[in-house]
Amino acid sequence: MSLINCVECGAKVSDLAKSCPKCGAPVGEELKNISRVQIKIPVVRSVFLGTAVDIQIYANGNLIWSGRSGNIAEFEIKQPTEIIIQTKKKINMREFSTVVVPGKKYRMVQDEGLHMYETYRLTVVDFIDSE
């Protein structure tokens, strides 16, 4: 056990505590959980079959997560942040931007657009399921 400073009021708090006894602000792992964003990225549908797609997420021009569809993207932010999500298949790339909020969980949803071009959006969810 060690003492750390509360990020809100500066009081000394045990690193095992869930909140500051002086001001009630979250500390330690609880603070991390509040700033963490999770996005469930399902396997992307295509005209023929479900296809694994490369996904990259950017915030403020910086790559903050990279992976494949079918995974859960996790990253931390301190305030509501605009992100850009890029999906890359063999010969085409799509991207969309949206604002995410610290501590929220999202699911990426694929919609069919005109001429079978897919479009994407995020929806807020209470929990991330494991399909």
Side-chain angles (χ1 to χ4, degrees):
M1 182 188 94
S2 63
L3 293 177
I4 57 174
N5 291 327
C6 172
V7 295
E8 292 293 321
C9 71
K12 296 285 185 192
V13 182
S14 166
D15 63 346
L16 301 176
K18 291 187 176 194
S19 62
C20 174
K22 183 175 178 185
C23 71
V27 296
E29 284 299 312
E30 291 298 310
L31 185 59
K32 278 187 177 179
N33 290 337
I34 287 175
S35 64
R36 182 177 297 132
V37 172
Q38 293 180 311
I39 303 173
K40 172 69 175 178
I41 302 172
V43 173
V44 175
R45 296 185 316 264
S46 71
V47 176
F48 302 105
L49 296 169
T51 307
V53 173
D54 293 322
I55 308 287
Q56 294 181 325
I57 301 176
Y58 295 87
N60 301 317
N62 298 313
L63 179 66
I64 58 173
W65 188 85
S66 181
R68 308 236 339 133
S69 59
N71 290 302
I72 298 171
E74 290 188 84
F75 51 90
E76 293 183 11
I77 55 175
K78 296 189 184 319
Q79 60 193 20
T81 302
E82 182 176 18
I83 61 170
I84 296 172
I85 300 178
Q86 291 182 344
T87 62
K88 295 180 182 179
K89 290 191 216 177
K90 291 180 182 178
I91 58 171
N92 66 5
M93 179 187 79
R94 302 267 184 261
E95 73 176 38
F96 70 99
S97 64
T98 188
V99 174
V100 292
V101 176
K104 296 284 186 180
K105 294 174 175 59
Y106 299 88
R107 179 174 176 83
M108 190 169 101
V109 177
Q110 178 183 356
D111 298 315
E112 293 298 326
L114 295 174
H115 307 291
M116 296 191 312
Y117 288 119
E118 61 274 354
T119 58
Y120 302 97
R121 60 188 163 84
L122 294 184
T123 59
V124 176
V125 294
D126 292 330
F127 63 93
I128 301 286
D129 61 348
S130 61
E131 291 187 311

